[in-house]
Amino acid sequence: MLADAALAVMWVGLTCYALFGGADFGAGVWDLLAGGAERGRARRGLIEHSIGPVWEANHVWLIFVVVMLWSAFSPVFAAVMSTLYIPLTLAALGIIARGAAFAFRKASTELWQQRLFGACFALSSLLTPFFLGTVAGGVASGRVPPGLAEGDVVTSWLNPTSLLGGLLAVAACAHLAAVYLCADAHREGRPELAAAFTRDAVVSGLVSGVVALAGIAVLNADAPELFHGLTHRALPLVIISAVAGLTGLGLLVRQRFVAARAAAALAVAAILWAWGAAQYPALLVGSTTVTEAAASASVLSAVLGALGVGAVVLVPSLWLLYATFQRGAADQHSSR
């Protein structure tokens, strides 16, 4: 029970990273596609305004997931980190380059500097979720065996399932960001930007659906155990994800942006939990279960206890951060 509780908590953290950090990365993708310096100025301004106060806090969830994996399931941590160190290193470099470029672009005054740092920020935002998606695909397709560096360091993440995971991660991040930015633009009284991001959100949502449908054939051929789990035990979650995604598109067309946010978040969260349900109880497909990889009961109790104490501080702090900067300019003016 302690091992399952630790896994559930870790998966909640992974879900939060997908929803908050994913939208953060997706905003960088739209920054890349915004257009030239003048044509894309308004879109980039809204993106910078939306993610500026929270982009560092979003990566707290990634640190949380890594620490939970290391503390509660150390054999899996060792296997994943030693086999998939190439995409993990590239993702880490992307996070660093992205953050530095975002900060330097904001402080730059010359146009060439803004373009240079903007390109670095945008490309890192595109490549980082792709590499993280390839890691998920490598784990889900059973290409990470137990032990230190026992898996192939190249084919473990360059394979059909990993490439599918990378593409789906980028598409989902872009869709989440566009949906979130619709609401931000509407709240800030920018109907032209809200309309533009609505189009982006609908297109990226349709692309995500096409990639997911194409992935059925890929998983059936390349990751049969995962495919079986998704079409049996996890099928209700897959259906929830599909229904939520379609509902979100309908809400976007009707300009129900806040409700569309909830629907898009549910679609992404449901497919992430469908992956977990399809693979459970295996942490490393074909070799290692949750019980086999879990730390001792005393360690799990200490980890969960420390987590409970930390959550008392962390959760209200994050809620206050997001709530404060989700208030529109009109709301902030009226409260002064």
Side-chain angles (χ1 to χ4, degrees):
M1 291 182 63
L2 287 175
D4 286 340
L7 178 62
V9 169
M10 187 179 73
W11 218 257
V12 169
L14 185 61
T15 304
C16 289
Y17 187 59
L19 296 181
F20 297 108
D24 198 354
F25 288 128
V29 174
W30 296 119
D31 189 285
L32 177 66
L33 301 176
E38 291 301 323
R39 187 164 63 91
R41 186 181 300 277
R43 290 163 67 93
R44 291 191 177 98
L46 179 65
I47 290 169
E48 184 174 298
H49 174 74
S50 296
I51 72 173
V54 298
W55 67 272
E56 291 176 300
N58 289 333
H59 294 296
V60 168
W61 297 111
L62 178 61
I63 298 170
F64 169 76
V65 171
V66 171
V67 172
M68 282 295 297
L69 183 62
W70 173 49
S71 302
F73 307 100
S74 55
V76 176
F77 175 88
V80 171
M81 294 297 170
S82 60
T83 294
L84 295 168
Y85 70 87
I86 294 178
L88 286 168
T89 300
L90 292 173
L93 291 175
I95 292 173
I96 295 169
R98 181 179 183 276
F102 182 72
F104 284 133
R105 183 178 71 171
K106 190 172 184 178
S108 298
T109 56
E110 299 292 332
L111 180 59
W112 70 269
Q113 294 175 330
Q114 294 174 350
R115 285 177 171 172
L116 174 63
F117 293 127
C120 182
F121 164 72
L123 288 175
S124 298
S125 299
L126 176 68
L127 294 175
T128 302
F130 175 80
F131 288 126
L132 292 175
T134 63
V135 170
V139 174
S141 60
R143 288 182 167 88
V144 181
L148 291 175
E150 292 295 326
D152 191 294
V153 298
V154 176
T155 60
S156 60
W157 65 282
L158 285 179
N159 58 77
T161 301
S162 288
L163 294 178
L164 171 66
L167 292 175
L168 191 58
V170 173
C173 289
H175 178 61
L176 280 175
V179 174
Y180 291 179
L181 287 166
C182 287
D184 287 350
H186 179 73
R187 187 178 57 251
E188 296 295 328
R190 305 291 298 275
E192 72 288 353
L193 288 180
F197 281 118
T198 297
R199 291 192 296 270
D200 294 338
V202 171
V203 171
S204 59
L206 293 175
V207 170
S208 298
V210 170
V211 172
L213 288 174
I216 295 174
V218 173
L219 294 180
N220 187 32
D222 190 61
E225 290 189 43
L226 177 63
F227 176 80
H228 182 271
L230 289 173
T231 54
H232 289 78
R233 176 191 299 168
L235 184 58
L237 288 169
V238 174
I239 294 174
I240 289 173
S241 178
V243 172
L246 291 173
T247 301
L249 295 181
L251 290 169
L252 285 170
V253 173
R254 297 176 58 190
Q255 297 186 353
R256 302 286 299 274
F257 297 127
V258 175
R261 273 187 172 187
L266 177 59
V268 173
I271 203 63
L272 194 60
W273 281 80
W275 166 32
Q279 186 172 313
Y280 184 84
L283 285 180
L284 297 179
V285 175
S287 60
T288 307
T289 65
V290 175
T291 303
E292 293 169 344
S296 64
S298 59
V299 172
L300 292 175
S301 297
V303 168
L304 292 173
L307 174 65
V309 173
V312 174
V313 177
L314 177 64
V315 173
S317 299
L318 288 176
W319 179 85
L320 179 61
L321 174 67
Y322 289 122
T324 299
F325 289 101
Q326 282 295 299
R327 298 167 61 194
D331 294 334
Q332 294 176 6
H333 179 74
S334 63
S335 65
R336 292 192 180 102

